[in-house]
Amino acid sequence: MPGPAGRLDAVLVCGGQWHDFDYARLQLLSAVAEYEQVRTRVFEDYDCIEVVATADLLITYTCNRVPDQAQQNALAQFVSRGGRWLALHGTNSAIERTSPGSASKYVTPRSLNTIAPVLGSQFLGHPPIAPYTVEITDPAHPFVAGIDSFEVTDELYVSELHQPIQVLAHTRFVGESTGFEEGHTADDEPRPVLYLKDHGRGTVCYFTLGHCRGRFDVQDLGIDDLGRVDRGSWTVPEFRTVFERCLSWAVTGDAAAHD
């Protein structure tokens, strides 16, 4: 519930591996700063459950930040009591490197046993980054109203879904999630890009787009300098519009409360 004079307390968790979290954090905080009633505390992982317990909204942009069981329980309780969680990009990922000689480089253990059903999905794998088309599934929904299909160059997530979810935008992919043990597809089913997941009195809005990577963000993979900067969907106007609408909902609770 809002505090005195309508103040809202937000928690931003932004951190992990293989992404430019400095860039993502700047984009997210700049967007939240447009709402003068919101005060935001920032963390790199989920060691913030006491703050989440009293927060009004939660925003996460992570990759391979796996909350422990107590943290998962606290996140589930946050949503159950009516919290609004805007989960971005790799929030649903739990990734481990395999031993040398394995056929795949990465496995995706079901370490999000409690929180994956709350989020509505768990990451399995993605093909190499390449352009793909985002289709609008529910054009009447305020998050995507008036937006046509659009092209992005981003990580295309193949995830294990925990239904029911309300899909607002999707893409399609048939092929290999190169390097991952799972995430290989032979069926041409829609892959959710943007969806809503209700849990108790609250809701998760999950938006899989938003990849970004700087030159020095994969040194743990033996690449000292990637030689390029990737900004993924952050430079795509349609992504920005949808993201701003989702953020407006996270702040106000009103899916239609945006410019």
Side-chain angles (χ1 to χ4, degrees):
M1 294 291 291
R7 168 177 162 158
L8 295 170
D9 292 320
V11 171
L12 169 63
V13 181
C14 184
Q17 294 177 277
W18 312 312
H19 292 76
D20 187 347
F21 294 101
D22 288 345
Y23 177 83
R25 191 180 300 112
L26 177 61
Q27 302 308 306
L28 295 169
L29 287 174
S30 296
V32 174
E34 295 297 315
Y35 298 89
E36 63 180 358
Q37 73 271 40
V38 178
R39 288 296 173 264
T40 307
R41 295 189 63 181
V42 182
F43 301 86
E44 291 189 53
D45 56 34
Y46 293 100
D47 189 18
C48 55
I49 57 177
E50 296 86 358
V51 182
V52 169
T54 59
D56 298 295
L57 61 141
L58 172 64
I59 304 166
T60 56
Y61 182 105
T62 63
C63 179
N64 207 25
R65 280 288 190 257
V66 181
D68 64 25
Q69 191 58 58
Q71 293 163 357
Q72 290 190 47
N73 292 342
L75 291 166
Q77 177 59 29
F78 165 80
V79 182
S80 181
R81 68 171 169 82
R84 297 183 295 277
W85 182 355
L86 176 54
L88 300 166
H89 202 44
T91 295
N92 67 347
S93 63
I95 305 168
E96 294 180 0
R97 299 196 71 180
T98 58
S99 57
S102 298
S104 303
K105 292 182 181 179
Y106 305 102
V107 294
T108 48
R110 302 309 191 267
S111 305
L112 303 176
N113 55 307
T114 298
I115 207 61
V118 177
L119 282 171
S121 66
Q122 179 158 351
F123 172 80
L124 297 179
H126 68 73
I129 295 174
Y132 61 90
T133 301
V134 176
E135 303 282 351
I136 305 305
T137 316
D138 185 357
H141 194 278
F143 287 1
V144 292
I147 295 178
D148 296 325
S149 60
F150 58 97
E151 198 89 356
V152 297
T153 301
D154 208 309
E155 292 176 338
L156 190 161
Y157 282 4
V158 179
S159 297
E160 180 179 80
L161 303 180
H162 292 264
Q163 301 285 1
I165 60 175
Q166 180 186 357
V167 180
L168 307 180
H170 68 276
T171 191
R172 292 184 179 272
F173 168 70
V174 174
E176 299 291 310
S177 289
T178 308
F180 292 93
E181 185 177 72
E182 300 182 79
H184 316 299
T185 69
D187 55 66
D188 190 23
E189 301 231 348
R191 310 288 165 192
V193 171
L194 174 68
Y195 67 81
L196 296 170
K197 169 70 171 179
D198 292 331
H199 178 75
R201 292 183 292 161
T203 303
V204 174
C205 173
Y206 202 112
F207 200 8
T208 66
L209 300 180
H211 177 72
C212 57
R213 181 176 292 153
R215 290 169 49 193
F216 312 114
D217 293 323
V218 288
Q219 291 185 345
D220 62 325
L221 301 182
I223 303 173
D224 291 341
D225 186 345
L226 191 63
R228 68 179 187 276
V229 172
D230 296 333
R231 292 297 176 241
S233 300
W234 290 99
T235 61
V236 177
E238 292 90 344
F239 166 79
R240 287 281 188 172
T241 297
V242 175
F243 163 70
E244 288 166 5
R245 292 177 181 181
C246 295
L247 178 61
S248 176
W249 161 82
V251 173
T252 68
D254 185 351
H258 56 76
D259 294 332

